[in-house]
Amino acid sequence: MNLLIVFQPAKLPKQYNFMFTSIVKAALEISSPEIIKELYSYGEKANKKAKSFTGSIFLQDYVIEETEIKVNGEIRVTISSPDPELILYLYNGIVQKKIFRYQAHEVQLAYVKVLSEKLPTKRKVLFKTNSPIAVKNKEGRFLDVNDPSYNEDFNYIANVIVKAITGRNLLEPLSFTPVIMKKKVVQLKHHSFAKLNKESILFVNCYEGSFILEGAIEDLAILTSSGLGVRRSQFFGSIQMLQE
């Protein structure tokens, strides 16, 4: 299930992923504090369990300035999830709040609507990325798509996602085949990265483009909605089916 959220022209921070993560949280805090606790809290600690949603951000007609991005057109945020209840609560929270603030920046809602989503019905599917896919190994290193262990670690992460959502493992291993994939480095700025460098920036090596994914149809359907790879709730790993 997909939700399209469109904001009016505004200025955004250069590293804007966490701004939109905060918008998701703010909307859910209004409509369902229980879901916020379930997704983000584990007792007194942060919940590191794989989230059941992903998303992408599209900026229409923008100019990159020294520390900000000036968006002259629409700011389009698409969020997908196999959990319709989550999408419904997010929709209600967005509609109620309308204006969202993050540090020195503010965005105002233009409109929001639910979109239909095409899900796989066959075992072999051609996909494209709506936001880049990031895969890392158990040591925490982000992998190149041509790394010999990429498919193994890709499967490990996919299994974690499917298990968090359904309670079961992948029905069978997945096969990931790049078609046209281009490397991209995304900067994430957050106080939790203060130990990394003085700018508090994490550099995420990821890939965007087209690829073929083979596996059990039920698994492919879940992953189409929930996304692939790590940091999906921070707007990585959103995918769209092109052809079966």
Short mmCIF file of all heavy atoms in Angstrom, two decimals, residues 159-224:
data_model
loop_
_atom_site.label_atom_id
_atom_site.label_comp_id
_atom_site.label_asym_id
_atom_site.label_seq_id
_atom_site.Cartn_x
_atom_site.Cartn_y
_atom_site.Cartn_z
N ASN A 159 15.74 -11.45 4.92
CA ASN A 159 15.14 -12.39 5.86
C ASN A 159 14.75 -11.70 7.17
O ASN A 159 13.67 -11.97 7.73
CB ASN A 159 16.12 -13.53 6.16
CG ASN A 159 15.47 -14.67 6.92
OD1 ASN A 159 14.67 -15.41 6.37
ND2 ASN A 159 15.80 -14.80 8.19
N VAL A 160 15.61 -10.79 7.63
CA VAL A 160 15.29 -10.02 8.84
C VAL A 160 14.02 -9.20 8.63
O VAL A 160 13.15 -9.13 9.51
CB VAL A 160 16.48 -9.09 9.21
CG1 VAL A 160 16.07 -8.09 10.29
CG2 VAL A 160 17.67 -9.91 9.68
N ILE A 161 13.88 -8.58 7.45
CA ILE A 161 12.70 -7.76 7.14
C ILE A 161 11.44 -8.62 7.13
O ILE A 161 10.43 -8.29 7.78
CB ILE A 161 12.88 -7.05 5.79
CG1 ILE A 161 14.02 -6.04 5.84
CG2 ILE A 161 11.58 -6.35 5.38
CD1 ILE A 161 14.46 -5.52 4.48
N VAL A 162 11.49 -9.72 6.38
CA VAL A 162 10.31 -10.58 6.26
C VAL A 162 9.92 -11.17 7.62
O VAL A 162 8.73 -11.24 7.97
CB VAL A 162 10.57 -11.70 5.23
CG1 VAL A 162 9.48 -12.77 5.29
CG2 VAL A 162 10.65 -11.11 3.83
N LYS A 163 10.92 -11.55 8.41
CA LYS A 163 10.62 -12.14 9.73
C LYS A 163 9.99 -11.10 10.66
O LYS A 163 9.09 -11.42 11.44
CB LYS A 163 11.90 -12.71 10.35
CG LYS A 163 11.62 -13.58 11.56
CD LYS A 163 12.82 -14.42 11.93
CE LYS A 163 12.47 -15.40 13.03
NZ LYS A 163 13.60 -16.27 13.39
N ALA A 164 10.47 -9.85 10.59
CA ALA A 164 9.91 -8.80 11.45
C ALA A 164 8.45 -8.52 11.10
O ALA A 164 7.64 -8.19 11.97
CB ALA A 164 10.73 -7.52 11.30
N ILE A 165 8.10 -8.66 9.83
CA ILE A 165 6.75 -8.35 9.37
C ILE A 165 5.80 -9.53 9.51
O ILE A 165 4.65 -9.38 9.93
CB ILE A 165 6.79 -7.85 7.91
CG1 ILE A 165 7.53 -6.50 7.83
CG2 ILE A 165 5.38 -7.71 7.32
CD1 ILE A 165 7.86 -6.05 6.43
N THR A 166 6.28 -10.75 9.17
CA THR A 166 5.39 -11.91 9.11
C THR A 166 5.61 -12.92 10.23
O THR A 166 4.77 -13.77 10.47
CB THR A 166 5.57 -12.66 7.77
OG1 THR A 166 6.90 -13.23 7.75
CG2 THR A 166 5.41 -11.71 6.59
N GLY A 167 6.77 -12.85 10.90
CA GLY A 167 7.10 -13.82 11.93
C GLY A 167 7.74 -15.08 11.38
O GLY A 167 8.06 -16.00 12.15
N ARG A 168 7.96 -15.14 10.08
CA ARG A 168 8.59 -16.32 9.47
C ARG A 168 9.82 -15.90 8.69
O ARG A 168 10.03 -14.72 8.41
CB ARG A 168 7.60 -17.03 8.53
CG ARG A 168 7.16 -16.17 7.35
CD ARG A 168 6.53 -17.00 6.24
NE ARG A 168 6.00 -16.18 5.16
CZ ARG A 168 6.73 -15.68 4.17
NH1 ARG A 168 8.04 -15.88 4.14
NH2 ARG A 168 6.16 -14.95 3.21
N ASN A 169 10.63 -16.89 8.31
CA ASN A 169 11.79 -16.64 7.47
C ASN A 169 11.38 -16.57 6.00
O ASN A 169 10.23 -16.89 5.64
CB ASN A 169 12.82 -17.75 7.65
CG ASN A 169 13.45 -17.73 9.03
OD1 ASN A 169 13.74 -16.68 9.58
ND2 ASN A 169 13.65 -18.91 9.60
N LEU A 170 12.31 -16.14 5.15
CA LEU A 170 12.10 -16.23 3.71
C LEU A 170 11.72 -17.66 3.35
O LEU A 170 12.29 -18.62 3.90
CB LEU A 170 13.38 -15.86 2.96
CG LEU A 170 13.79 -14.39 2.89
CD1 LEU A 170 15.22 -14.29 2.34
CD2 LEU A 170 12.83 -13.58 2.03
N LEU A 171 10.79 -17.82 2.43
CA LEU A 171 10.39 -19.16 2.02
C LEU A 171 11.50 -19.87 1.27
O LEU A 171 11.60 -21.10 1.30
CB LEU A 171 9.12 -19.08 1.15
CG LEU A 171 7.88 -18.54 1.89
CD1 LEU A 171 6.73 -18.38 0.92
CD2 LEU A 171 7.50 -19.45 3.04
N GLU A 172 12.34 -19.09 0.59
CA GLU A 172 13.51 -19.62 -0.11
C GLU A 172 14.47 -18.47 -0.37
O GLU A 172 14.08 -17.30 -0.33
CB GLU A 172 13.11 -20.30 -1.42
CG GLU A 172 12.40 -19.38 -2.39
CD GLU A 172 11.92 -20.13 -3.63
OE1 GLU A 172 10.87 -20.78 -3.54
OE2 GLU A 172 12.61 -20.03 -4.66
N PRO A 173 15.75 -18.77 -0.63
CA PRO A 173 16.71 -17.69 -0.88
C PRO A 173 16.33 -16.86 -2.11
O PRO A 173 15.71 -17.34 -3.05
CB PRO A 173 18.03 -18.45 -1.13
CG PRO A 173 17.84 -19.76 -0.47
CD PRO A 173 16.39 -20.10 -0.61
N LEU A 174 16.70 -15.59 -2.06
CA LEU A 174 16.48 -14.67 -3.17
C LEU A 174 17.71 -14.60 -4.06
O LEU A 174 18.83 -14.79 -3.58
CB LEU A 174 16.18 -13.26 -2.64
CG LEU A 174 14.97 -13.09 -1.72
CD1 LEU A 174 15.03 -11.71 -1.06
CD2 LEU A 174 13.68 -13.26 -2.48
N SER A 175 17.49 -14.31 -5.32
CA SER A 175 18.60 -14.08 -6.24
C SER A 175 18.49 -12.65 -6.77
O SER A 175 17.49 -12.28 -7.38
CB SER A 175 18.54 -15.07 -7.40
OG SER A 175 19.55 -14.79 -8.36
N PHE A 176 19.52 -11.85 -6.50
CA PHE A 176 19.56 -10.43 -6.90
C PHE A 176 20.53 -10.28 -8.06
O PHE A 176 21.71 -10.63 -7.94
CB PHE A 176 20.00 -9.58 -5.71
CG PHE A 176 20.15 -8.11 -6.02
CD1 PHE A 176 19.10 -7.23 -5.79
CD2 PHE A 176 21.34 -7.60 -6.52
CE1 PHE A 176 19.24 -5.87 -6.06
CE2 PHE A 176 21.48 -6.25 -6.80
CZ PHE A 176 20.43 -5.39 -6.57
N THR A 177 20.05 -9.79 -9.19
CA THR A 177 20.89 -9.60 -10.37
C THR A 177 20.83 -8.15 -10.83
O THR A 177 19.77 -7.69 -11.30
CB THR A 177 20.44 -10.51 -11.53
OG1 THR A 177 20.40 -11.87 -11.09
CG2 THR A 177 21.39 -10.38 -12.72
N PRO A 178 21.92 -7.38 -10.72
CA PRO A 178 21.91 -6.00 -11.21
C PRO A 178 21.73 -5.96 -12.73
O PRO A 178 22.27 -6.79 -13.44
CB PRO A 178 23.30 -5.47 -10.82
CG PRO A 178 23.85 -6.46 -9.85
CD PRO A 178 23.22 -7.77 -10.16
N VAL A 179 20.96 -5.00 -13.19
CA VAL A 179 20.83 -4.75 -14.63
C VAL A 179 21.61 -3.49 -14.98
O VAL A 179 22.65 -3.55 -15.62
CB VAL A 179 19.35 -4.64 -15.06
CG1 VAL A 179 19.24 -4.32 -16.56
CG2 VAL A 179 18.60 -5.93 -14.74
N ILE A 180 21.12 -2.36 -14.51
CA ILE A 180 21.89 -1.11 -14.61
C ILE A 180 21.83 -0.46 -13.22
O ILE A 180 20.81 0.10 -12.83
CB ILE A 180 21.30 -0.14 -15.66
CG1 ILE A 180 21.27 -0.78 -17.03
CG2 ILE A 180 22.13 1.15 -15.71
CD1 ILE A 180 20.58 0.04 -18.10
N MET A 181 22.91 -0.59 -12.48
CA MET A 181 22.97 -0.05 -11.12
C MET A 181 24.12 0.94 -11.01
O MET A 181 25.24 0.65 -11.45
CB MET A 181 23.15 -1.16 -10.09
CG MET A 181 22.04 -2.19 -10.05
SD MET A 181 20.49 -1.54 -9.39
CE MET A 181 20.82 -1.51 -7.63
N LYS A 182 23.84 2.08 -10.44
CA LYS A 182 24.84 3.14 -10.30
C LYS A 182 25.07 3.45 -8.83
O LYS A 182 24.12 3.58 -8.05
CB LYS A 182 24.35 4.40 -11.03
CG LYS A 182 25.33 5.55 -11.01
CD LYS A 182 24.74 6.76 -11.75
CE LYS A 182 25.68 7.95 -11.70
NZ LYS A 182 25.09 9.14 -12.37
N LYS A 183 26.33 3.56 -8.46
CA LYS A 183 26.67 3.85 -7.06
C LYS A 183 26.33 5.29 -6.71
O LYS A 183 26.48 6.20 -7.51
CB LYS A 183 28.16 3.59 -6.81
CG LYS A 183 28.57 3.70 -5.34
CD LYS A 183 30.01 3.26 -5.16
CE LYS A 183 30.41 3.31 -3.69
NZ LYS A 183 31.79 2.83 -3.48
N LYS A 184 25.86 5.47 -5.47
CA LYS A 184 25.53 6.80 -4.96
C LYS A 184 25.96 6.88 -3.50
O LYS A 184 25.84 5.89 -2.76
CB LYS A 184 24.01 7.04 -5.09
CG LYS A 184 23.56 8.42 -4.65
CD LYS A 184 22.07 8.61 -4.92
CE LYS A 184 21.65 10.03 -4.58
NZ LYS A 184 20.21 10.25 -4.89
N VAL A 185 26.47 8.01 -3.09
CA VAL A 185 26.83 8.22 -1.69
C VAL A 185 25.86 9.24 -1.10
O VAL A 185 25.79 10.39 -1.54
CB VAL A 185 28.28 8.71 -1.53
CG1 VAL A 185 28.60 8.93 -0.05
CG2 VAL A 185 29.26 7.72 -2.13
N VAL A 186 25.07 8.80 -0.12
CA VAL A 186 24.09 9.67 0.53
C VAL A 186 24.62 10.08 1.89
O VAL A 186 25.12 9.24 2.65
CB VAL A 186 22.73 8.95 0.69
CG1 VAL A 186 21.75 9.82 1.45
CG2 VAL A 186 22.16 8.58 -0.68
N GLN A 187 24.51 11.36 2.20
CA GLN A 187 24.94 11.87 3.50
C GLN A 187 23.76 11.93 4.46
O GLN A 187 22.73 12.55 4.15
CB GLN A 187 25.55 13.26 3.35
CG GLN A 187 26.81 13.30 2.52
CD GLN A 187 27.40 14.71 2.44
OE1 GLN A 187 27.09 15.58 3.26
NE2 GLN A 187 28.26 14.92 1.46
N LEU A 188 23.91 11.29 5.61
CA LEU A 188 22.91 11.37 6.67
C LEU A 188 23.50 12.19 7.82
O LEU A 188 24.55 11.84 8.34
CB LEU A 188 22.53 9.98 7.18
CG LEU A 188 21.82 9.04 6.21
CD1 LEU A 188 21.52 7.72 6.91
CD2 LEU A 188 20.53 9.66 5.69
N LYS A 189 22.82 13.26 8.17
CA LYS A 189 23.32 14.13 9.26
C LYS A 189 22.41 13.97 10.47
O LYS A 189 21.20 14.17 10.38
CB LYS A 189 23.34 15.59 8.80
CG LYS A 189 23.97 16.55 9.81
CD LYS A 189 24.01 17.96 9.25
CE LYS A 189 24.59 18.96 10.24
NZ LYS A 189 26.03 18.77 10.44
N HIS A 190 23.02 13.60 11.61
CA HIS A 190 22.23 13.37 12.83
C HIS A 190 23.17 13.42 14.03
O HIS A 190 24.35 13.05 13.92
CB HIS A 190 21.53 12.01 12.76
CG HIS A 190 20.44 11.84 13.76
ND1 HIS A 190 20.62 11.16 14.94
CD2 HIS A 190 19.14 12.25 13.75
CE1 HIS A 190 19.48 11.15 15.62
NE2 HIS A 190 18.57 11.80 14.92
N HIS A 191 22.64 13.86 15.16
CA HIS A 191 23.50 13.97 16.37
C HIS A 191 24.05 12.62 16.80
O HIS A 191 25.09 12.53 17.44
CB HIS A 191 22.71 14.62 17.51
CG HIS A 191 21.51 13.84 17.95
ND1 HIS A 191 21.58 12.74 18.77
CD2 HIS A 191 20.19 14.00 17.66
CE1 HIS A 191 20.39 12.25 18.99
NE2 HIS A 191 19.51 13.00 18.32
N SER A 192 23.36 11.54 16.43
CA SER A 192 23.85 10.21 16.81
C SER A 192 25.13 9.82 16.08
O SER A 192 25.79 8.84 16.45
CB SER A 192 22.76 9.15 16.54
OG SER A 192 22.44 9.10 15.17
N PHE A 193 25.51 10.59 15.04
CA PHE A 193 26.75 10.32 14.30
C PHE A 193 27.88 11.25 14.73
O PHE A 193 28.88 11.38 14.04
CB PHE A 193 26.51 10.47 12.80
CG PHE A 193 25.38 9.63 12.26
CD1 PHE A 193 24.48 10.17 11.34
CD2 PHE A 193 25.21 8.32 12.66
CE1 PHE A 193 23.44 9.40 10.84
CE2 PHE A 193 24.17 7.55 12.17
CZ PHE A 193 23.28 8.09 11.26
N ALA A 194 27.72 11.88 15.88
CA ALA A 194 28.70 12.88 16.34
C ALA A 194 30.10 12.28 16.51
O ALA A 194 31.11 12.98 16.33
CB ALA A 194 28.24 13.51 17.64
N LYS A 195 30.19 11.00 16.82
CA LYS A 195 31.49 10.37 17.03
C LYS A 195 32.21 10.07 15.72
O LYS A 195 33.41 9.79 15.71
CB LYS A 195 31.33 9.08 17.84
CG LYS A 195 30.89 9.32 19.28
CD LYS A 195 30.79 8.00 20.03
CE LYS A 195 30.35 8.24 21.48
NZ LYS A 195 30.21 6.97 22.23
N LEU A 196 31.49 10.12 14.61
CA LEU A 196 32.10 9.78 13.32
C LEU A 196 32.99 10.89 12.79
O LEU A 196 34.08 10.65 12.28
CB LEU A 196 31.00 9.47 12.28
CG LEU A 196 30.11 8.26 12.57
CD1 LEU A 196 29.06 8.11 11.48
CD2 LEU A 196 30.94 6.99 12.69
N ASN A 197 32.52 12.13 12.90
CA ASN A 197 33.25 13.29 12.41
C ASN A 197 32.63 14.55 12.98
O ASN A 197 31.55 14.50 13.59
CB ASN A 197 33.26 13.34 10.86
CG ASN A 197 31.89 13.11 10.27
OD1 ASN A 197 30.94 13.83 10.57
ND2 ASN A 197 31.76 12.08 9.43
N LYS A 198 33.29 15.68 12.80
CA LYS A 198 32.80 16.93 13.41
C LYS A 198 31.50 17.41 12.78
O LYS A 198 30.75 18.19 13.39
CB LYS A 198 33.88 18.01 13.32
CG LYS A 198 34.25 18.43 11.92
CD LYS A 198 35.32 19.51 11.94
CE LYS A 198 35.69 19.97 10.53
NZ LYS A 198 36.72 21.02 10.54
N GLU A 199 31.19 16.95 11.57
CA GLU A 199 29.93 17.35 10.91
C GLU A 199 28.77 16.44 11.31
O GLU A 199 27.62 16.69 10.93
CB GLU A 199 30.08 17.32 9.38
CG GLU A 199 31.04 18.34 8.81
CD GLU A 199 32.48 17.84 8.84
OE1 GLU A 199 32.67 16.62 9.10
OE2 GLU A 199 33.40 18.64 8.63
N SER A 200 29.02 15.37 12.07
CA SER A 200 28.00 14.39 12.46
C SER A 200 27.30 13.80 11.24
O SER A 200 26.07 13.69 11.18
CB SER A 200 26.96 15.03 13.40
OG SER A 200 27.56 15.50 14.57
N ILE A 201 28.10 13.39 10.26
CA ILE A 201 27.55 12.86 9.01
C ILE A 201 27.99 11.41 8.81
O ILE A 201 29.17 11.08 8.97
CB ILE A 201 27.99 13.72 7.80
CG1 ILE A 201 27.30 15.09 7.84
CG2 ILE A 201 27.70 13.02 6.48
CD1 ILE A 201 27.72 16.03 6.73
N LEU A 202 27.02 10.57 8.47
CA LEU A 202 27.30 9.20 8.06
C LEU A 202 27.21 9.15 6.54
O LEU A 202 26.23 9.60 5.95
CB LEU A 202 26.27 8.24 8.67
CG LEU A 202 26.33 6.79 8.17
CD1 LEU A 202 27.60 6.10 8.64
CD2 LEU A 202 25.09 6.01 8.64
N PHE A 203 28.24 8.61 5.90
CA PHE A 203 28.24 8.47 4.45
C PHE A 203 27.78 7.05 4.10
O PHE A 203 28.43 6.07 4.47
CB PHE A 203 29.64 8.74 3.89
CG PHE A 203 30.11 10.15 4.11
CD1 PHE A 203 30.82 10.50 5.26
CD2 PHE A 203 29.83 11.14 3.17
CE1 PHE A 203 31.23 11.81 5.47
CE2 PHE A 203 30.25 12.45 3.37
CZ PHE A 203 30.95 12.79 4.51
N VAL A 204 26.65 6.97 3.42
CA VAL A 204 26.05 5.68 3.08
C VAL A 204 26.31 5.36 1.61
O VAL A 204 25.84 6.07 0.71
CB VAL A 204 24.53 5.69 3.35
CG1 VAL A 204 23.91 4.34 2.98
CG2 VAL A 204 24.24 6.04 4.80
N ASN A 205 27.08 4.30 1.37
CA ASN A 205 27.31 3.83 0.00
C ASN A 205 26.11 2.97 -0.41
O ASN A 205 25.82 1.96 0.24
CB ASN A 205 28.59 3.00 -0.09
CG ASN A 205 29.81 3.85 0.18
OD1 ASN A 205 29.86 5.04 -0.15
ND2 ASN A 205 30.83 3.26 0.79
N CYS A 206 25.45 3.36 -1.48
CA CYS A 206 24.24 2.66 -1.89
C CYS A 206 24.14 2.65 -3.41
O CYS A 206 25.00 3.23 -4.10
CB CYS A 206 23.00 3.29 -1.25
SG CYS A 206 22.98 5.10 -1.30
N TYR A 207 23.10 2.00 -3.93
CA TYR A 207 22.96 1.85 -5.37
C TYR A 207 21.54 2.14 -5.82
O TYR A 207 20.58 1.82 -5.12
CB TYR A 207 23.35 0.43 -5.80
CG TYR A 207 24.85 0.23 -5.82
CD1 TYR A 207 25.55 -0.04 -4.66
CD2 TYR A 207 25.57 0.36 -7.01
CE1 TYR A 207 26.93 -0.20 -4.67
CE2 TYR A 207 26.94 0.20 -7.03
CZ TYR A 207 27.62 -0.08 -5.86
OH TYR A 207 28.98 -0.22 -5.88
N GLU A 208 21.44 2.75 -7.02
CA GLU A 208 20.13 2.99 -7.61
C GLU A 208 20.14 2.52 -9.06
O GLU A 208 21.20 2.45 -9.69
CB GLU A 208 19.76 4.48 -7.52
CG GLU A 208 20.76 5.42 -8.15
CD GLU A 208 20.45 6.88 -7.89
OE1 GLU A 208 19.52 7.17 -7.11
OE2 GLU A 208 21.14 7.74 -8.47
N GLY A 209 18.97 2.19 -9.57
CA GLY A 209 18.88 1.70 -10.95
C GLY A 209 17.90 0.55 -11.05
O GLY A 209 16.91 0.48 -10.32
N SER A 210 18.17 -0.37 -11.97
CA SER A 210 17.26 -1.50 -12.21
C SER A 210 17.95 -2.82 -11.91
O SER A 210 19.17 -2.95 -12.03
CB SER A 210 16.77 -1.48 -13.66
OG SER A 210 17.86 -1.54 -14.56
N PHE A 211 17.14 -3.81 -11.52
CA PHE A 211 17.68 -5.12 -11.14
C PHE A 211 16.58 -6.17 -11.27
O PHE A 211 15.39 -5.84 -11.32
CB PHE A 211 18.22 -5.09 -9.71
CG PHE A 211 17.17 -4.74 -8.68
CD1 PHE A 211 16.47 -5.73 -8.00
CD2 PHE A 211 16.89 -3.41 -8.39
CE1 PHE A 211 15.51 -5.40 -7.06
CE2 PHE A 211 15.91 -3.07 -7.44
CZ PHE A 211 15.23 -4.07 -6.78
N ILE A 212 17.00 -7.43 -11.33
CA ILE A 212 16.06 -8.55 -11.36
C ILE A 212 16.11 -9.26 -10.01
O ILE A 212 17.20 -9.51 -9.48
CB ILE A 212 16.41 -9.53 -12.49
CG1 ILE A 212 16.20 -8.88 -13.86
CG2 ILE A 212 15.56 -10.80 -12.40
CD1 ILE A 212 16.76 -9.67 -15.02
N LEU A 213 14.95 -9.55 -9.47
CA LEU A 213 14.86 -10.25 -8.20
C LEU A 213 14.04 -11.52 -8.41
O LEU A 213 12.93 -11.48 -8.94
CB LEU A 213 14.22 -9.37 -7.12
CG LEU A 213 14.37 -9.81 -5.66
CD1 LEU A 213 15.83 -9.90 -5.27
CD2 LEU A 213 13.64 -8.84 -4.74
N GLU A 214 14.61 -12.66 -7.99
CA GLU A 214 13.94 -13.95 -8.11
C GLU A 214 13.76 -14.56 -6.73
O GLU A 214 14.64 -14.48 -5.88
CB GLU A 214 14.75 -14.91 -8.97
CG GLU A 214 14.93 -14.46 -10.41
CD GLU A 214 15.79 -15.45 -11.20
OE1 GLU A 214 15.33 -16.60 -11.41
OE2 GLU A 214 16.91 -15.06 -11.59
N GLY A 215 12.59 -15.18 -6.52
CA GLY A 215 12.31 -15.82 -5.25
C GLY A 215 10.86 -16.21 -5.15
O GLY A 215 10.11 -16.18 -6.13
N ALA A 216 10.43 -16.59 -3.95
CA ALA A 216 9.03 -16.96 -3.73
C ALA A 216 8.13 -15.74 -3.92
O ALA A 216 8.47 -14.64 -3.46
CB ALA A 216 8.86 -17.53 -2.32
N ILE A 217 7.01 -15.93 -4.58
CA ILE A 217 6.11 -14.81 -4.89
C ILE A 217 5.67 -14.09 -3.63
O ILE A 217 5.62 -12.86 -3.58
CB ILE A 217 4.87 -15.32 -5.68
CG1 ILE A 217 5.31 -15.89 -7.04
CG2 ILE A 217 3.86 -14.20 -5.88
CD1 ILE A 217 4.22 -16.62 -7.78
N GLU A 218 5.36 -14.86 -2.57
CA GLU A 218 4.90 -14.23 -1.31
C GLU A 218 5.97 -13.32 -0.72
O GLU A 218 5.66 -12.24 -0.21
CB GLU A 218 4.53 -15.31 -0.30
CG GLU A 218 3.37 -16.20 -0.72
CD GLU A 218 3.85 -17.46 -1.44
OE1 GLU A 218 4.90 -17.41 -2.12
OE2 GLU A 218 3.17 -18.49 -1.31
N ASP A 219 7.23 -13.74 -0.80
CA ASP A 219 8.33 -12.91 -0.29
C ASP A 219 8.52 -11.66 -1.15
O ASP A 219 8.72 -10.56 -0.62
CB ASP A 219 9.64 -13.72 -0.26
CG ASP A 219 9.61 -14.85 0.74
OD1 ASP A 219 8.81 -14.78 1.69
OD2 ASP A 219 10.40 -15.80 0.58
N LEU A 220 8.46 -11.83 -2.47
CA LEU A 220 8.64 -10.68 -3.36
C LEU A 220 7.56 -9.63 -3.12
O LEU A 220 7.83 -8.43 -3.17
CB LEU A 220 8.61 -11.14 -4.82
CG LEU A 220 9.73 -12.08 -5.29
CD1 LEU A 220 9.60 -12.34 -6.79
CD2 LEU A 220 11.11 -11.51 -4.98
N ALA A 221 6.33 -10.07 -2.86
CA ALA A 221 5.23 -9.14 -2.62
C ALA A 221 5.47 -8.32 -1.35
O ALA A 221 5.27 -7.10 -1.34
CB ALA A 221 3.91 -9.91 -2.52
N ILE A 222 5.91 -8.99 -0.28
CA ILE A 222 6.18 -8.28 0.98
C ILE A 222 7.31 -7.27 0.80
O ILE A 222 7.21 -6.12 1.22
CB ILE A 222 6.53 -9.29 2.09
CG1 ILE A 222 5.31 -10.10 2.47
CG2 ILE A 222 7.09 -8.57 3.33
CD1 ILE A 222 5.62 -11.33 3.30
N LEU A 223 8.39 -7.69 0.13
CA LEU A 223 9.55 -6.83 -0.03
C LEU A 223 9.30 -5.67 -1.00
O LEU A 223 9.93 -4.63 -0.88
CB LEU A 223 10.75 -7.67 -0.49
CG LEU A 223 11.26 -8.68 0.54
CD1 LEU A 223 12.21 -9.68 -0.09
CD2 LEU A 223 11.92 -7.97 1.72
N THR A 224 8.37 -5.85 -1.94
CA THR A 224 8.00 -4.75 -2.82
C THR A 224 7.42 -3.60 -2.00
O THR A 224 7.70 -2.42 -2.25
CB THR A 224 6.97 -5.21 -3.88
OG1 THR A 224 7.55 -6.24 -4.67
CG2 THR A 224 6.56 -4.06 -4.79
#
